[in-house]
Amino acid sequence: MQYDTEFAKRRFPEQALEIEALASRDESFRELCHDFSIANQLVRDWESSTAPGRDERYAEALELRDWLGKEIHTMLDLAKIVPFPAAR
C-alpha cells in the first residue's frame, strides 16, 4: 500500500525503509508524513511568491517543515526501542 511518504523518504533517504515500515502500521506517523509533505509545498510556494508578507510566511513555513522533520526522526527513534522482558 502506498502512503504519502515520498517527501520524507527523499528528505531522509537513509531511513526510507524505516519510514515505509512505520507508515504501514502507524496512522499518526502517516499523517505526520503527509503534513511534512504539505509543509514542503508551502515552503516552495512561499519561496517563489511575490505577495506581501512573503518573507515572514516563508520563514514560518521553513520552521514548520523543520519541526515536522524533527518529529519524524523522533517517531522513528521511538519505533526502534525494543522493551526488555520483565525480570522474573
Side-chain angles (χ1 to χ4, degrees):
M1 180 174 277
Q2 183 65 31
Y3 305 109
D4 189 8
T5 58
E6 293 308 310
F7 176 66
K9 290 188 294 187
R10 281 195 319 270
R11 186 72 184 246
F12 310 116
E14 68 284 353
Q15 294 178 294
L17 293 176
E18 291 92 343
I19 290 169
E20 194 63 32
L22 186 54
S24 72
R25 66 179 189 271
D26 188 322
E27 183 177 353
S28 294
F29 186 73
R30 289 192 298 269
E31 290 172 0
L32 181 61
C33 287
H34 179 71
D35 292 346
F36 191 46
S37 179
I38 291 171
N40 183 60
Q41 187 60 51
L42 284 172
V43 167
R44 292 172 50 199
D45 291 347
W46 282 112
E47 191 172 46
S48 61
S49 176
T50 58
R54 175 251 181 225
D55 292 342
E56 184 178 343
R57 298 293 176 245
Y58 177 68
E60 290 171 350
L62 275 177
E63 184 178 336
L64 175 62
R65 186 182 70 183
D66 291 346
W67 181 81
L68 290 168
K70 289 175 187 172
E71 287 296 304
I72 286 173
H73 273 288
T74 297
M75 288 189 77
L76 289 169
D77 287 344
L78 289 173
K80 292 178 187 176
I81 296 173
V82 178
F84 289 100
R88 293 182 188 191

